Amino acid sequence: MKTIRIKNNEFILLPEKAIYWQEEETLLVSDLHLGKSDTFRHSGIYVPTGTTSSDLDRLNKLINNLKVKKIIFLGDLLHHRSGYNTKVKNALKDWRDKNNKIEIILIRGNHDLKAGDPEQSLDFICKDEPYNYNGFEFRHFPPKNNSDYCFAGHIHPSVMLKGKGNQYLKLPCFYFSEKYSLLPSFGSFTGSSKIKVKRGDKVFVIADDKLLEIKDRMD
Amino acid sequence: MEESFISRIKPGSVFVFAGKLLELISIRDMTVTVKKATKKSTNIPRWDGGRMPLSTELSKMIRFKLEQISKGIIESRELKCILPIIYYQEKFSIIPKQSELLIEKIKSDDGYHIFIYPFEGRLVHEGLAALTGYRISKLQPITFTMAYNDYGFDLLSDKEIPIEEAIKGGLFSTENLYNDIIESLNLSEMAKRQFREIARISGLVFQGYPGSKKSTRQIQASSSLLFDIFNRYDPENLLLYQARKEVMERQLEESRLYKSLERINECEFRIIETEKFTPLSFPILADIMRDKMSTEKIEERIMKMQLDLE
């Protein structure tokens, strides 16, 4: 298990693409893009269904294995208004009913702003960024000038690994710089984009449901 | 020569054609008039025909010409032009006869190369690279990248490739061919590449309506992400089937893979270890289009890799 210590708090990185904040019993999750396949279908483009329900199932498994008091969604929970149909609404409601004791914060991302907040009955506390809590900052977009250490999403970060024999692997990752961290996108129907990594940054890639730290071995 | 190339050249400009430096004088009625140039130039014409695979007859002819070269029979002017190249090929390696299959082993900074030259054309080599790569990877976990042209193909790995062992184990055997091709297809990313075309034609990759200002960002996804999603959530989908079918057809029917293997099996294998890239291997090495294939555990591969810091 990979744990990162920041300001005397322990953050456990989960290969399921989420972070568990031990002291606060809080789960950090980013970029689910629920209803993305429904958005495509709404526009007449066929894609398989099943991504939304399987993502909620994965989230449930995580919650069942950990003690979760609170979840902070770092934005882009819903993909688009046109994909937030009855089926997706019901799936989200079922999920909420199963986890009705948990406090849920949603920091609105660019997709959420267009899709709108989930129904009030679902009891998601929706906030515009930044959300500051117990000495840490939470955002959807990566911060520009933050005083508290920040966790953000939006980027869907990945890195390109290079090996001998002309081998390349592009893998989603957790990224930690001195001032902020980027979470990989949780949704299974999401792509990723390559990020720039500086010396001294920490990168953990996710490969086949395993988490591996990439050591800086360039020199 | 191709119009698209020559139409971009201005009279007085110099380009290389058939190994000669030529200066353009005029283009009229589909005729290009040139004279021998005195200036130097790096303009080299390239045509789509160069990407078209050799036919059976032409590849046979190339093997015949090579045999003549290897015997020292150099009659045509064209062959005389390439004498310096032939010299280097023979210096570092050999020129294969029709009854021989040349295999070059080269270790470079990139890793371990195996170049194999059946001279059967691009399509056959694409299939052969995937097939032989797959058969070798059954012997031990290994990761390859593969490149090919009309003359041959290159298997490149970070580990030494057990080629002699693989040949003994029936590397070019026609047994189990169909199944091995299907397996190699699954392992390589050939179907994924083919799916790009299929995703575009079937409208999965939506570019937006011309002139429309309405944002369509929410319905855009790359064909490779779609390919993964289809494979996981709808593996029986007909579009995936179509991608695999198109690769299979290209491999088996158009490519005459079976006949090529039969011919290869009658050849004497000449395995040459060389320290320098040979004239035959260099164009394949320089090809940036590479297929991938791996039977190694992803963790093991990652452990050997490093971050591309910018």
Side-chain angles (χ1 to χ4, degrees):
Chain A
M1 202 153 48
K2 299 279 190 294
T3 306
I4 297 268
R5 236 181 134 73
I6 305 164
K7 291 205 287 189
N8 281 326
N9 281 256
E10 304 244 312
F11 295 90
I12 300 172
L13 309 187
L14 305 164
E16 291 84 357
K17 299 181 182 168
I19 290 181
Y20 183 65
W21 183 2
Q22 218 155 15
E23 282 72 11
E24 298 294 329
E25 294 175 354
T26 293
L27 199 59
L28 308 177
V29 189
S30 189
D31 299 272
L32 266 84
H33 290 267
L34 297 177
K36 184 167 174 182
S37 60
D38 301 85
T39 306
F40 276 61
R41 286 170 159 249
H42 178 83
S43 303
I45 298 169
Y46 171 81
V47 277
T49 54
T51 43
T52 295
S53 54
S54 87
D55 287 345
L56 288 173
D57 285 349
R58 279 196 306 134
L59 195 55
N60 259 339
K61 262 187 209 149
L62 269 182
I63 295 166
N64 295 338
N65 290 334
L66 300 157
K67 204 176 161 205
V68 179
K69 216 168 65 183
K70 177 172 177 166
I71 297 175
I72 303 175
F73 286 112
L74 301 176
D76 290 358
L77 177 76
L78 302 175
H79 184 66
H80 192 258
R81 194 184 303 126
S82 64
Y84 192 44
N85 55 23
T86 320
K87 202 185 73 196
V88 178
K89 274 179 195 166
N90 287 339
L92 191 60
K93 189 179 173 299
D94 285 350
W95 175 82
R96 186 54 169 138
D97 288 344
K98 275 182 208 153
N99 304 291
N100 52 11
K101 298 262 160 42
I102 300 174
E103 181 192 355
I104 293 179
I105 309 277
L106 167 63
I107 298 154
R108 295 186 189 102
N110 46 326
H111 280 267
D112 303 296
L113 287 174
K114 283 187 187 162
D117 294 343
E119 289 70 17
Q120 282 206 329
S121 58
L122 293 184
D123 195 23
F124 279 46
I125 303 165
C126 303
K127 290 176 180 295
D128 288 326
E129 66 174 33
Y131 165 61
N132 290 79
Y133 175 65
N134 271 2
F136 289 91
E137 185 172 297
F138 302 90
R139 287 176 180 267
H140 177 61
F141 293 99
K144 292 199 175 76
N145 266 314
N146 51 320
S147 46
D148 288 341
Y149 194 89
C150 179
F151 289 90
H154 183 65
I155 302 289
H156 304 198
S158 65
V159 284
M160 186 72 98
L161 301 179
K162 195 179 170 206
K164 260 199 155 188
N166 232 324
Q167 295 175 18
Y168 291 93
L169 273 178
K170 187 185 169 197
L171 296 165
C173 67
F174 289 96
Y175 168 81
F176 290 88
S177 75
E178 217 172 290
K179 300 206 79 179
Y180 68 93
S181 163
L182 296 175
L183 270 76
S185 57
F186 188 86
S188 41
F189 188 11
T190 54
S192 68
S193 63
K194 263 192 290 174
I195 54 165
K196 284 185 181 169
V197 177
K198 297 185 299 294
R199 198 151 299 217
D201 294 346
K202 282 192 165 173
V203 171
F204 299 85
V205 297
I206 299 133
D208 282 356
D209 306 324
K210 288 198 179 67
L211 196 69
L212 294 161
E213 181 166 11
I214 301 302
K215 294 271 186 335
D216 175 7
R217 279 174 293 173
M218 284 305 277
D219 34 15
Chain B
M1 70 193 316
E2 230 162 74
E3 237 182 314
S4 62
F5 172 78
I6 200 70
S7 61
R8 275 183 290 132
I9 307 270
K10 291 193 185 83
S13 299
V14 175
F15 62 97
V16 184
F17 183 71
K20 292 190 175 62
L21 274 171
L22 302 172
E23 184 183 327
L24 180 69
I25 297 171
S26 70
I27 310 168
R28 189 171 295 163
D29 299 334
M30 305 301 279
T31 308
V32 180
T33 316
V34 293
K35 65 174 184 186
K36 265 196 170 173
T38 42
K39 293 180 279 186
K40 284 209 166 173
S41 165
T42 51
N43 284 327
I44 293 174
R46 171 180 71 84
W47 32 79
D48 288 341
R51 282 267 159 194
M52 263 147 68
L54 295 181
S55 65
T56 326
E57 288 306 307
L58 189 56
S59 41
K60 210 168 166 182
M61 202 58 205
I62 287 184
R63 291 195 297 269
F64 170 71
K65 284 279 172 201
L66 283 168
E67 169 145 350
Q68 286 200 313
I69 293 169
S70 72
K71 286 178 181 159
I73 308 168
I74 293 160
E75 289 165 332
S76 66
R77 271 166 55 191
E78 287 81 6
L79 284 183
K80 278 180 193 143
C81 273
I82 60 164
L83 272 175
I85 298 173
I86 292 167
Y87 167 78
Y88 280 109
Q89 179 64 31
E90 282 187 319
K91 187 175 172 194
F92 298 125
S93 176
I94 58 156
I95 304 239
K97 295 196 185 69
Q98 285 187 88
S99 58
E100 293 173 332
L101 177 74
L102 171 61
I103 299 173
E104 287 176 345
K105 281 169 95 164
I106 304 171
K107 184 176 183 279
S108 76
D109 290 344
D110 290 335
Y112 296 86
H113 292 269
I114 295 283
F115 290 92
I116 302 176
Y117 306 97
F119 295 95
E120 291 276 4
R122 266 188 92 77
L123 279 180
V124 179
H125 296 150
E126 183 191 9
L128 274 176
L131 178 72
T132 51
Y134 167 70
R135 285 178 172 173
I136 293 170
S137 72
K138 277 202 295 190
L139 298 174
Q140 66 176 73
I142 194 164
T143 302
F144 288 116
T145 65
M146 302 167 285
Y148 34 82
N149 69 4
D150 271 331
Y151 299 158
F153 57 95
D154 169 23
L155 301 173
L156 168 62
S157 178
D158 56 305
K159 297 182 193 177
E160 200 163 352
I161 300 169
I163 186 71
E164 288 86 357
E165 191 190 334
I167 290 170
K168 269 187 214 137
L171 184 61
F172 297 103
S173 159
T174 50
E175 251 172 73
N176 249 336
L177 182 61
Y178 190 81
N179 276 330
D180 282 358
I181 290 178
I182 291 180
E183 290 297 323
S184 69
L185 197 94
N186 291 336
L187 213 54
S188 74
E189 292 194 329
M190 280 191 285
K192 194 174 202 167
R193 193 142 45 81
Q194 195 65 23
F195 190 73
R196 204 185 317 168
E197 224 165 82
I198 286 159
R200 203 170 51 227
I201 294 165
S202 58
L204 293 177
V205 179
F206 183 68
Q207 309 283 358
Y209 296 112
S212 167
K213 281 181 193 144
K214 211 172 157 197
S215 167
T216 52
R217 278 197 66 95
Q218 76 274 9
I219 45 169
Q220 278 171 26
S222 70
S223 68
S224 86
L225 174 62
L226 288 167
F227 182 80
D228 293 340
I229 293 289
F230 273 66
N231 261 314
R232 236 172 94 188
Y233 294 94
D234 192 7
E236 302 292 313
N237 190 279
L238 289 174
L239 294 173
L240 289 177
Y241 171 75
Q242 182 69 19
R244 281 194 286 266
K245 190 179 132 205
E246 283 181 17
V247 180
M248 278 305 274
E249 274 171 6
R250 207 169 67 214
Q251 302 283 305
L252 274 174
E253 284 163 45
E254 293 176 48
S255 77
R256 328 166 302 254
L257 195 61
Y258 191 88
K259 276 197 174 146
S260 304
L261 285 170
E262 280 187 325
R263 187 190 67 79
I264 287 170
N265 275 315
E266 280 167 22
C267 285
E268 182 195 339
F269 292 179
R270 297 287 304 271
I271 302 177
I272 310 281
E273 272 184 63
T274 129
E275 276 169 19
K276 287 211 165 83
F277 287 107
T278 58
L280 277 175
S281 65
F282 192 75
I284 307 178
L285 179 77
D287 203 320
I288 39 169
M289 269 285 286
R290 279 190 171 263
D291 283 334
K292 296 182 277 187
M293 174 180 285
S294 180
T295 46
E296 281 181 294
K297 285 209 180 102
I298 193 153
E299 294 156 81
E300 281 160 22
R301 293 181 60 194
I302 291 170
M303 293 328 244
K304 291 188 287 186
M305 292 182 143
Q306 57 191 6
L307 207 58
D308 227 355
L309 284 180
E310 293 187 36

